Amino acid sequence: MTNQSEMTNYLQAFVEGMISSGVEQAVISPGSRSTPLALLLHRQAQIETFIEVDERSAAFFALGLSKASTKPVVLLCTSGTAAANYYPAICEANASHIPLIILTTDRPHELRQVGAPQAMDQFHLFQNHVKEFIEMAIPEGTKVMLDYAYWQGMRATDTACQIPKGPVHLNFPLREPLLPDLNQSLVTEKTTEIFAGKKQLSEEQLAECVDVWQGKKGVLVVGGSHTPEEAKIFIELAEMLNWPILSDPLANITSGSKESPLIMSYADLFIQEVEMIQYPEVVIRFGMLPISKNTMLWLQSLNETTTIYFVDETGEWQDQLKQTQVAIQAEEQTFAKEITGKIKTRTADSWRNQWIDWQEKTEQQLTELSEMKTLNETSASILVHKKMTKNGQLFVSNSNAIRFLDRFSTPKGNHYHLFGNRGINGIDGIISTALGMCATNPDRQNVLLIGDLAMYHDMNGLLLAKRYNLPLTIVLLNNNGGGIFSFLSQRQLKVEDFEPIFGTPIDLDFSLVAQLYGAEYVKAETLEQLELLLEATQKQPKFQLIEVVGDRQENVLLYEKVIDGLKKKLGKK
Amino acid sequence: MTNQSEMTNYLQAFVEGMISSGVEQAVISPGSRSTPLALLLHRQAQIETFIEVDERSAAFFALGLSKASTKPVVLLCTSGTAAANYYPAICEANASHIPLIILTTDRPHELRQVGAPQAMDQFHLFQNHVKEFIEMAIPEGTKVMLDYAYWQGMRATDTACQIPKGPVHLNFPLREPLLPDLNQSLVTEKTTEIFAGKKQLSEEQLAECVDVWQGKKGVLVVGGSHTPEEAKIFIELAEMLNWPILSDPLANITSGSKESPLIMSYADLFIQEVEMIQYPEVVIRFGMLPISKNTMLWLQSLNETTTIYFVDETGEWQDQLKQTQVAIQAEEQTFAKEITGKIKTRTADSWRNQWIDWQEKTEQQLTELSEMKTLNETSASILVHKKMTKNGQLFVSNSNAIRFLDRFSTPKGNHYHLFGNRGINGIDGIISTALGMCATNPDRQNVLLIGDLAMYHDMNGLLLAKRYNLPLTIVLLNNNGGGIFSFLSQRQLKVEDFEPIFGTPIDLDFSLVAQLYGAEYVKAETLEQLELLLEATQKQPKFQLIEVVGDRQENVLLYEKVIDGLKKKLGKK
């Protein structure tokens, strides 16, 4: 048996181990050291492979694939700085619990610490932003080592998929020759079944919750991320309790998995403006805080008359307000379903009615504003939300885009799936992640709402759309710079300090970007035109860039106008 | 004293500490948490600041600034994945000994491990790819803490500048409010002087070297990176010993700091083809191995009759061949100068004459080849080298670009400065690093030689050229894909395996890229046209993209033709 054949069998066994634990897709960046793994993945019938030269985009693309498919996705690159380009997406995957299997290839031991080209220390390269780091053995062809390779592929993939899900990193020292034997067939017929349990409360614990909660004045607060199907479970719980529900956009409660008057989609706008006479006795939080700063401030203002329950299966204690009085460590949907089934007494309507009144008055105020009928970044964001259809996929970028969507979108029963990168909320890698989402379900409506700085940051990702014909509609809110800072304290600065460091206009003609990557380009001039363009995405998905020219100052003025109107309408002194 | 004022004084003291140790430039990426440091750096008269939204490009730009200025450069970004984007450039800086001061800003302790937005663990974020990691204290305004902040700025910068130079990372936990008091003046009048010693051998050690070396048949092997002024010192040593000198392109020996027949610029082409009757008795290596694989194989083939000396002031033992018999840990230029001054006996001409004969025959063979007179990637690379003038700056990308330059360029006394990223040899960040070089000396001739994949990988960097009017001439060798693999073992693969994974054509119209970023664009059609364009860069530097369309197969065929011709001419059986 030659070395080449031994290496092939060893790596093939590893790949089969990953397949056994559910790997179906891999994103490969070209390189020399990674050659045998690249070829084996490429030749593997059960694995769909994508190629992307820029490893940063490749990693975010893998993140998007896994977000949409909820399956583990493999990343493969060569030695050196290539792997370091994965880091931003890995940090995001770790924070947002996405199972990525990162395979880096490396010089073997005898070529380390000797100045060999394209070599650097890859041990624990991603620090504690991966769930585990594994240095693989040098390939050998013995049964023991084939079992080992299979086992590591199977086990590492499962590790990535266990709660809390997240990335794992395996480093492969490989010797030359790097060409595998492509004529070899499967080396193992193994499959390993996994019966995975999940955290559930006892009957007694459940009964205690129901006893305390039913009939009380309560509020549900649901953070991201959830699928529309999962979101429905929370809405059903709210309905059974007869409580208002506040949520993060990525919880997919507002995106309309189920219509309900209890969904307080405008909470960010009204919650700090209303005269609140009755405060909740109970708040049940699921996962991280919603994005709304006003909701956060409102929660922070609650006093000891409110009991805070915090449900989180990860056990990570991610309660920024440190208010948790009862931590419920259980799988969230199962828990919510069980509670829903046990509630006997609904809370009186008077409690929820005041909330519904606020929500309705806010909607009314928005409808009255003439600015909502002209094209601007706010009205465009509202329209994108409205024009999403059943099973459509919308990816929303960070900074302003997600805030516009959070503030102004209302549940309309359109039942689409909203995605975002809200682990660490970076503006990097947004396009690639959205394209990963699109590649998973290319036949659906696929839209990305993004600002110009995030667009610029990840333009390289567009090569994936070109190469794989991914029919993503990009709605670009272009206010030529960092629009979020006009909402923050930095706006107090003098213009000569503000513009170069926070405004940061980039003055790019994005029609050229569209042309470069083969996207259709339209500059939307009116709200009606944007409406037609978005309606077309429902039936005919295609790769296109729709630019909406915005104005940073105008966004702020419109927001202030909304708030001023609400102050009058909702009667806070 | 308000908190805002205390924070301002504390951070200002830190900045003044950095200035005391030589910081003159900073590259800032916008963000909210980094606001006070960004504003203080921006307002500081002694510091030139650059802004770049994409942190990956920002970091490579800082790398280029430091490479060209040889001074420490500051990087600043906000919390979260922003910093992770720095990682590729940091790995490269660490491997190639470039002093970067990386400042990340962070949530304060009370907002960690609680799910606060845009927060992640930034401790030891860059693992062992920085020389040190420092978690700064929360800002306070006491004298003790101002002294501390100044001290850390001064000390960390000096740490980055000590041999082996490299990046350091400081993480700043900052509380709101994040706006500094911009009306405050300098908080300290301190400056700290540093008298830095360097490693030098004793007179006895030097005498021993001279005794052993003089009159012997020897070869000098010089790795990168050196400035042209430093390179001259090695050439003078070679002349005094009367030995041939083999070098890496980045050693700037071939780029012509001084003409000498002893410079074996074509070693990669001839060294494996010649009938070598006499082998060297002594090889003195300076730093890492040159890029030439053939030179490496030749060195590897030497037996025990050759004694190998390895000079390296870092003490990092970066000898991939593990042949070192005498490790000389001393500052390289000082050591070379001292030896040059002590040599009394030059080696007989017969030894060097055979080498000069091989060099001349190779040049003759290249001149005879008609392909060298038509435009292709090889002839374009040769021309770029020839058209560089005194004090010009040429940045050369990895993969094929630097290999073409290494194989085919000959010392012509043009005395320019060649730069590259040869720490880990990635194809990432090349444009940004070259722009950092250009920004340091914008009035000189500034050229970048790059392939299409590296160009694609770092297109975002071009925004820096647009924003700061950087007059870089980019010569793009476009063979639509990974040209290097056609020279490696992967070329044995079937086309259906080769093209998607290694060929990876990207089919981009680079004239659109030029238009997007405001560069002039020309597609060179003939060698004469390219010559005129390059001559113009000598007098009128400007931001332009010159595209040379190449062919991956043609590159290989031309190379094989050269080697075949040399085999005949140099008479190896």
Side-chain angles (χ1 to χ4, degrees):
Chain A
M1 199 183 229
T2 67
N3 277 335
Q4 194 185 23
S5 166
E6 283 190 37
M7 175 191 68
T8 307
N9 284 346
Y10 174 90
L11 296 177
Q12 176 68 22
F14 176 82
V15 170
E16 288 170 30
M18 294 198 298
I19 292 169
S20 159
S21 279
V23 163
E24 295 176 8
Q25 291 177 313
V27 184
I28 300 171
S29 295
S32 188
R33 191 63 47 173
S34 53
T35 296
L37 271 167
L39 286 165
L40 290 176
L41 288 168
H42 181 62
R43 282 291 194 98
Q44 196 74 35
Q46 294 111 301
I47 294 184
E48 182 184 18
T49 53
F50 297 89
I51 309 288
E52 168 54 37
V53 170
D54 182 343
E55 297 85 4
R56 181 171 70 177
S57 294
F60 277 107
F61 184 70
L63 184 80
L65 288 173
S66 180
K67 269 176 196 258
S69 70
T70 70
K71 297 202 173 115
V73 174
V74 170
L75 273 165
L76 171 68
C77 71
T78 188
S79 63
T81 56
N85 283 280
Y86 283 166
Y87 208 13
I90 287 172
C91 293
E92 174 62 26
N94 193 48
S96 55
H97 304 138
I98 302 298
L100 299 181
I101 322 297
I102 299 127
L103 312 181
T104 57
T105 49
D106 201 351
R107 266 50 184 167
H109 304 68
E110 62 273 21
L111 287 178
R112 294 172 179 174
Q113 292 86 42
V114 293
Q118 214 173 317
M120 62 181 213
D121 187 352
Q122 298 179 182
F123 273 50
H124 293 283
L125 186 63
F126 307 116
Q127 247 281 354
N128 53 358
H129 298 279
V130 288
K131 292 179 70 177
E132 65 175 21
F133 165 76
I134 296 155
E135 164 79 0
M136 292 291 288
I138 297 277
E140 290 181 53
T142 58
K143 178 166 185 320
V144 169
M145 293 312 282
L146 294 187
D147 283 353
Y148 160 79
Y150 171 88
W151 184 260
Q152 287 291 43
M154 178 277 291
R155 194 201 54 74
T157 304
D158 180 55
T159 299
C161 295
Q162 287 180 29
I163 305 296
K165 296 180 185 180
V168 296
H169 174 205
L170 300 102
N171 191 52
F172 284 80
L174 297 175
R175 291 197 175 113
E176 298 190 10
L178 295 167
L179 287 186
D181 179 354
L182 290 176
N183 300 318
Q184 281 180 230
S185 53
L186 287 182
V187 293
T188 163
E189 295 293 319
K190 278 190 179 178
T191 56
T192 311
E193 273 191 277
I194 300 167
F195 291 178
K198 55 187 170 188
K199 288 191 196 168
Q200 296 183 65
L201 297 196
S202 68
E203 284 301 319
E204 294 70 28
Q205 289 168 321
L206 287 169
E208 193 181 323
C209 291
V210 171
D211 276 357
V212 179
W213 296 347
Q214 61 185 351
K216 292 272 168 50
K217 292 193 286 282
V219 171
L220 282 190
V221 180
V222 185
S225 299
H226 298 286
T227 66
E229 285 310 306
E230 290 167 353
K232 207 182 280 181
I233 296 165
F234 297 114
I235 301 171
E236 283 161 0
L237 174 60
E239 287 185 331
M240 188 53 82
L241 289 158
N242 210 22
W243 292 0
I245 180 168
L246 308 179
S247 66
D248 188 82
L250 297 193
N252 274 297
I253 285 172
T254 304
S255 54
S257 60
K258 180 172 158 61
E259 275 183 276
S260 167
L262 295 168
I263 301 172
M264 298 295 117
S265 68
Y266 297 127
D268 184 72
L269 292 176
F270 72 67
I271 202 160
Q272 291 284 65
E273 309 309 328
V274 298
E275 197 76 71
M276 207 167 276
I277 295 151
Q278 297 186 87
Y279 279 84
E281 297 162 290
V282 178
V283 167
I284 310 176
R285 279 186 49 195
F286 287 85
M288 309 237 297
L289 276 181
I291 187 176
S292 159
K293 188 164 189 182
N294 289 327
T295 300
M296 191 266 280
L297 292 171
W298 175 77
L299 283 167
Q300 208 163 25
S301 75
L302 298 177
N303 59 27
E304 61 281 0
T305 61
T306 308
T307 310
I308 311 275
Y309 289 76
F310 184 60
V311 191
D312 174 23
E313 65 179 329
T314 70
E316 288 178 337
W317 291 90
Q318 301 290 286
D319 174 11
Q320 191 185 336
L321 304 176
K322 303 178 198 75
Q323 292 175 314
T324 304
Q325 285 161 287
V326 184
I328 297 173
Q329 296 175 349
E331 198 275 317
E332 303 179 15
Q333 281 74 42
T334 310
F335 174 74
K337 261 192 219 165
E338 286 181 316
I339 295 289
T340 306
K342 290 175 195 300
I343 299 286
K344 303 248 152 45
T345 315
R346 298 172 80 237
T347 302
D349 283 351
S350 57
W351 166 245
R352 63 164 233 187
N353 285 350
Q354 68 165 346
W355 288 82
I356 293 173
D357 183 51
W358 298 329
Q359 168 81 2
E360 284 174 355
K361 286 208 169 104
T362 308
E363 178 147 31
Q364 203 182 330
Q365 163 69 7
L366 293 177
T367 317
E368 282 166 17
L369 274 179
S370 60
E371 285 87 346
M372 296 303 186
K373 290 163 200 86
T374 58
L375 184 63
N376 54 51
E377 295 186 62
T378 309
S379 63
S381 302
I382 296 173
L383 196 60
V384 165
H385 164 76
K386 280 193 181 149
K387 292 297 160 185
M388 291 304 299
T389 45
K390 192 165 157 61
N391 291 326
Q393 303 187 122
L394 172 61
F395 201 99
V396 66
S397 181
N398 289 317
S399 285
N400 271 346
I402 190 164
R403 287 187 175 80
F404 289 156
L405 207 78
D406 178 53
R407 282 182 194 137
F408 299 109
S409 65
T410 184
K412 293 288 178 204
N414 34 7
H415 196 160
Y416 69 91
H417 192 163
L418 183 68
F419 294 88
N421 280 347
R422 295 301 292 178
I424 314 179
N425 313 348
I427 60 160
D428 45 353
I430 298 292
I431 291 174
S432 301
T433 320
L435 286 168
M437 165 196 87
C438 178
T440 307
N441 294 300
D443 300 331
R444 301 193 190 167
Q445 184 191 20
N446 277 290
V447 182
L448 164 63
L449 182 67
I450 189 170
D452 53 300
L453 291 194
M455 177 90 189
Y456 157 71
H457 210 296
D458 189 29
M459 286 194 297
N460 276 8
L462 295 170
L463 188 60
L464 283 152
K466 180 170 182 274
R467 196 189 292 265
Y468 296 106
N469 297 311
L470 302 176
L472 182 70
T473 291
I474 301 174
V475 179
L476 169 65
L477 304 177
N478 187 359
N479 55 40
N480 201 22
I484 186 94
F485 295 110
S486 302
F487 284 94
L488 304 178
S489 62
Q490 286 83 353
R491 70 185 156 174
Q492 300 162 30
L493 293 166
K494 287 186 200 145
V495 75
E496 66 265 29
D497 290 317
F498 183 87
E499 273 303 298
I501 306 188
F502 303 101
T504 59
I506 53 175
D507 299 309
L508 292 181
D509 175 353
F510 285 100
S511 73
L512 291 169
V513 177
Q515 207 183 330
L516 181 65
Y517 292 105
E520 281 184 36
Y521 172 84
V522 194
K523 181 176 281 177
E525 304 285 356
T526 65
L527 211 52
E528 291 69 34
Q529 187 196 359
L530 181 61
E531 188 161 9
L532 290 174
L533 289 164
L534 289 169
E535 278 169 6
T537 69
Q538 299 168 357
K539 279 155 228 147
Q540 272 209 309
K542 63 180 169 186
F543 181 31
Q544 63 183 331
L545 176 60
I546 303 172
E547 184 171 6
V548 176
V549 175
D551 180 272
R552 295 186 237 137
Q553 211 41 48
E554 192 187 331
N555 294 335
V556 179
L557 293 175
L558 176 49
Y559 175 72
E560 286 172 350
K561 201 163 180 179
V562 170
I563 296 296
D564 283 349
L566 282 175
K567 274 188 207 302
K568 286 180 201 126
K569 222 180 209 100
L570 296 169
K572 194 172 182 181
K573 283 151 286 234
Chain B
M1 196 182 229
T2 68
N3 276 335
Q4 195 184 19
S5 166
E6 284 189 36
M7 175 190 68
T8 307
N9 284 345
Y10 175 90
L11 297 176
Q12 176 67 23
F14 176 82
V15 170
E16 289 169 29
M18 293 198 298
I19 291 169
S20 160
S21 280
V23 163
E24 296 176 8
Q25 292 178 311
V27 184
I28 300 171
S29 295
S32 189
R33 190 62 50 172
S34 52
T35 295
L37 271 167
L39 286 166
L40 291 176
L41 288 168
H42 181 61
R43 282 289 192 100
Q44 196 73 37
Q46 295 110 302
I47 294 184
E48 181 185 19
T49 52
F50 298 89
I51 309 288
E52 168 54 37
V53 170
D54 182 343
E55 297 85 5
R56 181 171 68 177
S57 294
F60 277 108
F61 183 70
L63 184 80
L65 288 174
S66 180
K67 268 175 197 257
S69 72
T70 69
K71 298 205 172 111
V73 175
V74 170
L75 273 165
L76 171 68
C77 71
T78 189
S79 64
T81 56
N85 283 279
Y86 283 166
Y87 208 12
I90 288 173
C91 293
E92 175 62 25
N94 193 48
S96 55
H97 305 138
I98 301 298
L100 299 181
I101 322 297
I102 299 128
L103 312 181
T104 58
T105 48
D106 200 352
R107 266 48 185 169
H109 304 67
E110 62 274 19
L111 288 178
R112 294 172 179 175
Q113 292 85 43
V114 294
Q118 214 172 315
M120 63 181 214
D121 188 352
Q122 298 178 185
F123 273 49
H124 293 283
L125 186 64
F126 307 115
Q127 248 281 353
N128 52 358
H129 297 280
V130 287
K131 290 179 73 179
E132 67 176 20
F133 165 76
I134 295 155
E135 164 77 359
M136 291 292 287
I138 296 277
E140 287 182 53
T142 58
K143 176 162 186 324
V144 169
M145 294 313 281
L146 294 187
D147 283 351
Y148 160 80
Y150 171 87
W151 185 261
Q152 287 291 42
M154 179 275 295
R155 194 201 54 75
T157 304
D158 179 57
T159 299
C161 296
Q162 287 180 29
I163 305 295
K165 296 180 184 179
V168 296
H169 174 205
L170 300 103
N171 191 51
F172 283 81
L174 297 175
R175 291 198 174 115
E176 297 189 11
L178 295 167
L179 286 187
D181 179 354
L182 290 177
N183 301 317
Q184 281 179 229
S185 52
L186 288 182
V187 293
T188 166
E189 295 294 317
K190 278 190 182 178
T191 56
T192 312
E193 274 190 277
I194 301 166
F195 291 178
K198 54 188 171 187
K199 288 190 196 170
Q200 297 184 67
L201 296 196
S202 67
E203 283 301 318
E204 293 71 29
Q205 288 169 322
L206 287 169
E208 192 180 326
C209 291
V210 171
D211 276 358
V212 178
W213 297 346
Q214 61 185 351
K216 292 272 167 53
K217 292 195 286 282
V219 171
L220 281 191
V221 180
V222 184
S225 297
H226 297 287
T227 65
E229 285 310 304
E230 291 167 353
K232 208 183 277 181
I233 296 165
F234 297 115
I235 301 171
E236 284 160 359
L237 175 60
E239 287 185 332
M240 189 54 79
L241 289 159
N242 210 21
W243 292 0
I245 180 166
L246 308 179
S247 66
D248 189 83
L250 296 193
N252 274 295
I253 284 172
T254 303
S255 53
S257 59
K258 180 174 160 59
E259 274 183 277
S260 167
L262 295 169
I263 302 171
M264 298 294 117
S265 68
Y266 297 129
D268 184 72
L269 294 175
F270 72 68
I271 203 160
Q272 290 284 69
E273 309 308 329
V274 298
E275 197 78 70
M276 207 168 276
I277 294 153
Q278 299 185 87
Y279 277 85
E281 295 162 290
V282 177
V283 167
I284 309 177
R285 278 186 51 196
F286 286 85
M288 308 238 299
L289 275 181
I291 188 176
S292 158
K293 189 164 190 180
N294 289 326
T295 300
M296 191 267 280
L297 292 171
W298 176 77
L299 283 168
Q300 206 163 26
S301 76
L302 298 177
N303 60 27
E304 61 280 0
T305 61
T306 308
T307 310
I308 311 275
Y309 289 76
F310 183 60
V311 189
D312 174 23
E313 65 179 328
T314 70
E316 288 178 336
W317 292 91
Q318 301 290 286
D319 173 11
Q320 191 186 336
L321 303 176
K322 302 177 200 76
Q323 291 175 313
T324 304
Q325 283 161 289
V326 183
I328 297 172
Q329 295 175 350
E331 197 274 319
E332 303 179 15
Q333 281 75 42
T334 310
F335 173 74
K337 261 191 220 165
E338 286 181 316
I339 295 289
T340 305
K342 291 177 196 299
I343 298 285
K344 302 246 150 45
T345 316
R346 299 173 79 236
T347 302
D349 282 353
S350 57
W351 165 245
R352 62 164 233 186
N353 285 349
Q354 69 165 345
W355 287 82
I356 293 174
D357 182 53
W358 297 332
Q359 168 80 2
E360 284 173 357
K361 286 207 170 107
T362 308
E363 178 146 31
Q364 202 183 330
Q365 162 70 6
L366 294 177
T367 316
E368 282 166 16
L369 273 180
S370 60
E371 284 88 345
M372 294 303 185
K373 289 163 200 85
T374 59
L375 184 64
N376 53 53
E377 294 185 63
T378 309
S379 63
S381 303
I382 296 173
L383 197 60
V384 165
H385 164 75
K386 280 192 182 150
K387 291 297 160 187
M388 291 304 298
T389 45
K390 192 164 159 58
N391 291 325
Q393 303 188 122
L394 172 61
F395 201 99
V396 65
S397 180
N398 290 316
S399 285
N400 272 346
I402 191 164
R403 288 187 174 79
F404 288 156
L405 207 76
D406 178 52
R407 281 179 196 140
F408 299 110
S409 64
T410 184
K412 291 290 179 206
N414 34 9
H415 195 160
Y416 69 91
H417 193 162
L418 183 69
F419 294 88
N421 280 346
R422 294 301 291 177
I424 314 178
N425 313 348
I427 60 159
D428 43 355
I430 298 293
I431 290 175
S432 301
T433 319
L435 285 169
M437 166 195 85
C438 179
T440 307
N441 294 300
D443 300 331
R444 302 192 188 168
Q445 183 190 23
N446 278 289
V447 182
L448 165 64
L449 182 67
I450 190 170
D452 53 300
L453 291 193
M455 176 91 189
Y456 157 73
H457 210 295
D458 189 28
M459 286 194 297
N460 277 7
L462 295 171
L463 188 59
L464 283 153
K466 179 169 182 276
R467 198 190 289 266
Y468 297 105
N469 296 311
L470 302 175
L472 182 70
T473 291
I474 302 174
V475 178
L476 169 65
L477 304 177
N478 186 359
N479 55 42
N480 201 21
I484 186 91
F485 295 110
S486 302
F487 285 93
L488 304 178
S489 64
Q490 285 83 356
R491 71 184 157 178
Q492 301 162 30
L493 292 165
K494 287 185 200 148
V495 75
E496 66 265 30
D497 289 318
F498 183 87
E499 272 303 298
I501 305 188
F502 302 101
T504 59
I506 55 176
D507 299 308
L508 292 181
D509 175 352
F510 285 99
S511 73
L512 292 169
V513 178
Q515 208 182 327
L516 181 65
Y517 292 104
E520 280 184 38
Y521 172 84
V522 193
K523 181 176 279 176
E525 304 285 355
T526 65
L527 212 53
E528 291 69 34
Q529 187 195 358
L530 181 61
E531 189 162 7
L532 289 175
L533 288 165
L534 289 170
E535 278 167 6
T537 68
Q538 299 168 357
K539 278 154 231 151
Q540 274 210 309
K542 63 181 171 186
F543 181 31
Q544 64 181 333
L545 176 61
I546 304 171
E547 184 171 8
V548 175
V549 174
D551 181 90
R552 294 187 236 137
Q553 210 43 46
E554 194 188 330
N555 295 336
V556 180
L557 294 175
L558 175 52
Y559 175 72
E560 287 172 349
K561 202 164 179 180
V562 170
I563 296 297
D564 282 350
L566 282 174
K567 275 189 207 303
K568 285 183 200 118
K569 220 177 212 101
L570 297 169
K572 194 172 181 180
K573 281 154 287 246

